[in-house]
Amino acid sequence: MTTLFLNARLIDPEAGTDAPGGVLVADGRIAEILPERTDPAHLFRARNIDPAKADVVDCGGKCLAPGIVDIGVKVCEPGERHKESYKTAGLAAAAGGVTTMVTRPDTNPAIDSPETLEFVTRRAQADAPVNVLPMAALTKGREGREMTEIGFLMDAGAVAFSDCDHVVANTKVFSRALTYARSCGALVIAHPQEPVLSGGAAASSSKFATLRGLPAVSPMAERMGLDRDIALLEMTGARYHADQITTARALPALERAKANGLDITAGTSIHHLTLNELDVADYRTFFKVKPPLRSEEDRLSVIEAVRTGLIDTISSMHTPQDEESKRLPFEEAAAGAVALETLLPAALRLYHAELLDLPTLFRAMALNPAKRLGLPCGRLAAGAPADLILFDADVPFVLDRFTLKSKSQNTPFDGQRMQGRVLATYVAGAPVFRRD
Amino acid sequence: MSHVSPAAPGPSFAARHLLGIEHLKPHEITEILDLADTYVDLNRRPEKHSDVLAGLTQINMFFENSTRTQASFELAGKRLGADVMNMAMQASSIKKGETLIDTAMTLNAMHPDLLVVRHPHSGAVDLLAQKVNCAVLNAGDGRHEHPTQALLDALTIRRAKGRLHRLNIAICGDIAHSRVARSNLILLGKMENRIRLIGPPTLVPGHFAEFGAEIYDDMREGLKGVDVVMMLRLQKERMDGGFIPSEREYYHRYGLDAEKLALAKPDAIVMHPGPMNRGVEIDGTIADDINRSVIQEQVEMGVAVRMAAMDLLARNLRAERMEQAG
């Protein structure tokens, strides 16, 4: 099967370019990156391709980029399928341009045994139209006491190990888990946060949180958590990724750790890049995320860190919650927001605000996450899997949360004006989503 | 004997709910206080009844224990002729797992006109107000706001000092966990007073300085030359070494006694929202000193201010319903 994408605006995160061109896809892989104004007939002849068996997609000058690799998607199977299933998450991912979901193990029960991992892998293969790569818990039940069977779980397909928002508070347990994980070559993804200091917090300490009377945590708790983890990395030499760096104060520590040659990368969430604490306004629980939204200064610092590459990845941190868990007083409401379908439009806000260009965004959303997980996708290069998205970077629309494909519709962007959305999504060269 | 309000329905106070001082403008605060003054007079008469809320139903929903505030709202409603019902929520549906919104919808179906709500979580009363068709009065939500307390404090100050502007006012004690402090800080700031917050730094977070208040951790320094000393209650659960080392050290450093009060202006008044911990945040003899303490007046003003607030909200509610009826 051959597909020829012509007349596209190619977003190449590896080369850092945003230029006209085309892509030839054969047998699920990118066969060739083509120059502007390629003549299809001429190309088919030159490459010995039967034009009758080839699809030609005229991209009409729209953007063609590698599909998004999203580290940290929560699909609520097993345990809370009423919030999100592999089918609905997969449809949402396809509609949002996410071609690889790296799923979280913070389900109920946690994905902490090869058997549970095999169950979700089966469910994902049967139902999801996009690639699904599962993560497994680092400790049993995400309780921070005993490490999981890291070796068996890797054999079963776990691509990384994480207790998600549960911090392994016991440093002895965490250092042993890191040491063991290193011997297996496993990537550990942690949530840098001082868990006692941040306990019970629903907001970042600030004038706003004071005015709203919300229990708040100093942004310093993130730096303290990161400092501890960096010290443990020096001890153990493990492969480490911080799931979300959201504060300016954590950045110098991250920079030093990288300069010292530790095997560390860091991500951030799209919500911390595009929203700040004031968006909570009158206790809007759809804006309650973990860690809490930060100050505008923090937001701008984190954007700058994405631009320079200090922060490597951007994730949706897709966290479905049903209406009941959100229709509560702010302190009691569940944290988290769905974001598979809003990740790209929200990221494009940064592009339209001229803070980040498109190759930089796709470096953080596709290339870097793929590289960190050792995946061949996330690039526009011959030989890479043809996981591609075609999107219009400029088309304006108003988001209506009830049009989302997720089972849960807890998005903070409801009713907001967005600009740019996916037109078509391809996984291994095959279309999995087309906007009508 | 029927009470006649001094003015026709004022166009200025047009709010649907009283959720916090944050949303009030200075002239609205003045309007509530002016009306409350007339209710003070009514309450001092032998015949205290008015019928401005006749035919309206007032439900007091308290998700947190309260004796004084609930009694004050109940009396205010009854003096104005409303049908008043008290619901002790911590004893009922919460225990059965009903959510706040379900409870609100259930009550809403009974067509109340005024809903007085206290809840342990900040923002819970705002949430509830979005879901019901009646006027909602916030009787305290978490550590967010307690607007009628701030209004009654303002009325007490205005009557004692003859004005509610350009005063030096000290608020002392557990500011961090206090909705009374927040509402007072906002109200007194809107009326252009100078506010000092006094307490140990564990109970007075620095972010309060961003509201234009001056922060003192030395009470003697902070009390110098103030016109009003507002004491706050120190909750028992905060005394155990988490926020302060001990009750006795707190009393020594932050308890209001004659020696510290002597640093304030000679005519400074002493306030406390109650209930007091005598010997913890305030010396008993100061609390009882009729020349300095206005603590009993605060209780009296509380009923009048709540009558005024409910009267104004009921006017707006009736006007809104007239409009809807065409």
Side-chain angles (χ1 to χ4, degrees):
Chain A
M1 188 66 216
T2 305
T3 311
L4 177 59
F5 295 89
L6 284 178
N7 192 20
R9 179 178 161 190
L10 298 183
I11 311 300
D12 182 344
E14 226 168 359
T17 54
D18 174 350
V23 172
L24 180 67
V25 168
D27 304 322
R29 297 196 168 268
I30 296 175
E32 198 176 342
I33 303 298
L34 304 166
E36 199 182 352
R37 293 193 199 89
T38 299
D39 173 32
H42 183 261
L43 181 82
F44 288 149
R45 255 197 321 277
R47 301 286 181 277
N48 266 331
I49 295 166
D50 178 359
K53 289 183 183 161
D55 277 339
V56 177
V57 178
D58 183 350
C59 300
K62 306 296 184 207
C63 299
L64 189 67
I68 296 168
V69 179
D70 191 358
I71 299 180
V73 174
K74 178 158 180 188
V75 181
C76 307
E77 292 189 62
E80 293 177 304
R81 223 165 113 186
H82 68 286
K83 291 186 179 177
E84 192 81 288
S85 67
Y86 277 95
K87 181 162 191 173
T88 53
L91 292 172
V98 174
T99 50
T100 301
M101 293 194 285
V102 182
T103 56
R104 302 211 305 255
D106 55 341
T107 48
N108 185 16
I111 300 168
D112 60 359
S113 69
E115 292 76 16
T116 333
L117 191 79
E118 276 160 18
F119 165 77
V120 300
T121 307
R122 266 203 317 279
R123 297 278 312 142
Q125 277 168 356
D127 282 348
V130 301
N131 305 312
V132 177
L133 298 173
M135 293 192 276
L138 182 67
T139 68
K140 287 174 187 159
R142 299 196 299 131
E143 287 172 353
R145 286 200 288 270
E146 302 164 62
M147 69 178 92
T148 52
E149 295 173 308
I150 293 174
F152 279 154
L153 284 160
M154 286 184 82
D155 293 344
V159 295
F161 293 82
S162 178
D163 278 359
C164 303
D165 63 339
H166 286 190
V167 176
V168 183
N170 185 324
T171 43
K172 197 170 264 181
V173 171
F174 195 41
S175 68
R176 286 176 182 156
L178 285 168
T179 304
Y180 192 88
R182 189 206 54 200
S183 75
C184 302
L187 177 68
V188 173
I189 300 185
H191 185 66
Q193 198 70 220
E194 209 307 300
V196 179
L197 192 59
S198 59
S204 306
S205 58
S206 67
K207 182 183 180 186
F208 176 76
T210 302
L211 181 64
R212 285 287 173 271
L214 290 172
V217 58
S218 164
M220 197 67 93
E222 181 172 291
R223 191 187 109 186
M224 290 168 68
L226 184 66
D227 278 340
R228 181 200 74 153
D229 289 2
I230 288 171
L232 288 170
L233 291 188
E234 282 186 34
M235 266 170 65
T236 61
R239 297 179 63 214
Y240 176 98
H241 177 78
D243 67 347
Q244 298 178 73
I245 294 295
T246 60
T247 61
R249 281 196 168 133
L251 296 172
L254 178 63
E255 195 166 13
R256 274 197 306 278
K258 284 189 165 185
N260 290 343
L262 297 179
D263 193 352
I264 181 172
T265 50
T268 193
S269 93
I270 189 63
H271 298 118
H272 291 91
L273 287 173
T274 53
L275 304 169
N276 70 26
E277 56 179 355
L278 301 180
D279 286 302
V280 168
D282 284 324
Y283 304 101
R284 295 193 288 174
T285 57
F286 280 11
F287 291 80
K288 182 175 180 181
V289 293
K290 198 172 175 187
L293 292 175
R294 307 300 193 180
S295 69
E296 179 65 3
E297 292 73 28
D298 280 328
R299 185 181 81 92
L300 294 173
S301 302
V302 173
I303 293 171
E304 176 60 14
V306 171
R307 193 187 66 75
T308 61
L310 178 58
I311 287 181
D312 302 87
T313 66
I314 300 173
S315 296
S316 69
M317 295 311 287
H318 181 81
T319 306
Q321 298 290 2
D322 54 21
E323 302 284 307
E324 280 64 42
S325 12
K326 285 286 187 184
R327 290 175 66 199
L328 291 169
F330 197 84
E331 283 168 63
E332 291 183 312
V338 292
L340 282 167
E341 285 164 85
T342 48
L343 172 58
L344 181 65
L348 288 171
R349 284 185 167 185
L350 303 171
Y351 162 69
H352 292 297
E354 297 179 358
L355 294 165
L356 298 175
D357 59 22
L358 292 176
T360 305
L361 280 173
F362 279 86
R363 181 181 71 195
M365 295 195 296
L367 178 66
N368 284 345
K371 270 163 99 173
R372 191 54 168 148
L373 295 168
L375 307 173
C377 58
R379 7 173 111 66
L380 278 191
D387 296 348
L388 298 169
I389 59 174
L390 181 63
F391 66 97
D392 183 333
D394 301 308
V395 60
F397 68 102
V398 175
L399 186 83
D400 172 1
R401 71 186 181 107
F402 296 107
T403 63
L404 294 178
K405 293 180 166 43
S406 284
K407 267 193 196 178
S408 297
Q409 281 131 354
N410 53 305
T411 170
F413 296 110
D414 185 39
Q416 292 202 27
R417 283 186 279 196
M418 316 287 281
Q419 205 180 341
R421 69 201 309 184
V422 171
L423 301 172
T425 304
Y426 300 83
V427 173
V432 293
F433 172 79
R434 270 201 194 104
R435 192 170 301 281
D436 301 325
Chain B
M1 183 173 175
S2 142
H3 176 75
V4 181
S5 302
S12 50
F13 184 85
R16 169 77 183 271
H17 308 295
L18 181 61
L19 299 177
I21 301 296
E22 191 192 347
H23 311 291
L24 296 181
K25 295 183 179 69
H27 68 84
E28 293 176 313
I29 292 167
T30 303
E31 189 177 351
I32 298 172
L33 299 185
D34 289 348
L35 181 58
D37 263 330
T38 72
Y39 282 122
V40 175
D41 298 340
L42 174 75
N43 288 337
R44 287 179 179 174
R45 289 184 210 160
E47 296 287 326
K48 302 171 174 60
H49 203 71
S50 156
D51 55 6
V52 302
L53 297 185
L56 299 185
T57 303
Q58 172 192 342
I59 299 182
N60 298 334
M61 282 171 86
F62 280 66
F63 293 88
E64 205 179 64
N65 279 323
S66 160
T67 313
R68 306 160 147 259
T69 307
Q70 184 172 327
S72 183
F73 269 109
E74 182 177 355
L75 199 56
K78 285 182 170 163
R79 290 228 171 119
L80 295 180
D83 298 312
V84 185
M85 183 172 78
N86 287 318
M87 297 190 67
M89 299 309 297
Q90 70 272 32
S92 66
S93 40
I94 301 294
K95 294 236 166 88
K96 297 174 193 157
E98 190 175 63
T99 67
L100 176 63
I101 289 180
D102 287 337
T103 307
M105 299 310 284
T106 304
L107 282 181
N108 194 46
M110 298 177 194
H111 299 292
D113 304 288
L114 295 156
L115 209 51
V116 178
V117 187
R118 168 170 288 189
H119 196 281
H121 290 309
S122 303
V125 182
D126 294 60
L127 176 68
L128 199 143
Q130 294 163 18
K131 308 291 174 186
V132 295
N133 300 322
C134 59
V136 176
L137 288 99
N138 182 359
D141 63 322
R143 37 175 113 164
H144 177 219
E145 282 232 43
H146 190 353
T148 57
Q149 178 72 43
L151 288 163
L152 76 87
D153 288 340
L155 185 60
T156 308
I157 295 170
R158 196 172 80 165
R159 290 173 70 103
K161 291 281 152 199
R163 66 176 198 269
L164 189 58
H165 58 273
R166 301 184 67 177
L167 293 166
N168 285 310
I169 299 170
I171 307 178
C172 313
D174 182 0
I175 312 288
H177 303 96
S178 174
R179 53 197 173 214
V180 176
R182 278 179 182 71
S183 286
N184 265 312
L185 184 59
I186 300 169
L187 190 153
L188 296 169
K190 285 189 185 201
M191 305 312 277
E192 304 195 351
N193 296 283
R194 283 182 71 172
I195 299 153
R196 302 178 186 179
L197 301 175
I198 303 174
T202 46
L203 295 176
V204 188
H207 288 295
F208 279 98
E210 295 173 43
F211 293 91
E214 296 163 52
I215 296 182
Y216 290 86
D217 51 16
D218 180 343
M219 191 172 191
R220 287 182 173 80
E221 203 54 44
L223 285 182
K224 277 182 191 162
V226 299
D227 300 285
V228 177
V229 182
M230 202 179 267
M231 301 304 299
L232 295 173
R233 176 182 165 78
L234 185 69
Q235 303 285 336
K236 282 260 184 266
E237 63 267 26
R238 316 235 194 265
M239 295 178 192
D240 63 354
F243 290 88
I244 53 163
S246 71
E247 203 175 304
R248 63 181 190 178
E249 181 163 329
Y250 185 79
Y251 181 66
H252 176 69
R253 300 189 61 186
Y254 297 103
L256 186 66
D257 53 21
E259 185 214 328
K260 295 194 194 92
L261 182 58
L263 295 162
K265 280 194 185 152
D267 63 346
I269 56 169
V270 175
M271 307 176 73
H272 193 297
M276 282 181 283
N277 296 304
R278 287 169 187 260
V280 177
E281 69 256 357
I282 189 164
D283 184 279
T285 55
I286 290 177
D288 298 333
D289 179 353
I290 52 165
N291 295 315
R292 308 304 292 272
S293 161
V294 292
I295 296 171
Q296 296 307 313
E297 281 85 339
Q298 285 176 276
V299 179
E300 184 189 358
M301 295 309 122
V303 179
V305 150
R306 288 169 180 127
M307 290 166 83
M310 290 198 288
D311 180 357
L312 289 169
L313 289 177
R315 291 183 206 182
N316 292 343
L317 191 68
R318 283 178 164 139
E320 186 186 310
R321 286 175 182 169
M322 293 265 280
E323 222 167 83
Q324 279 169 2

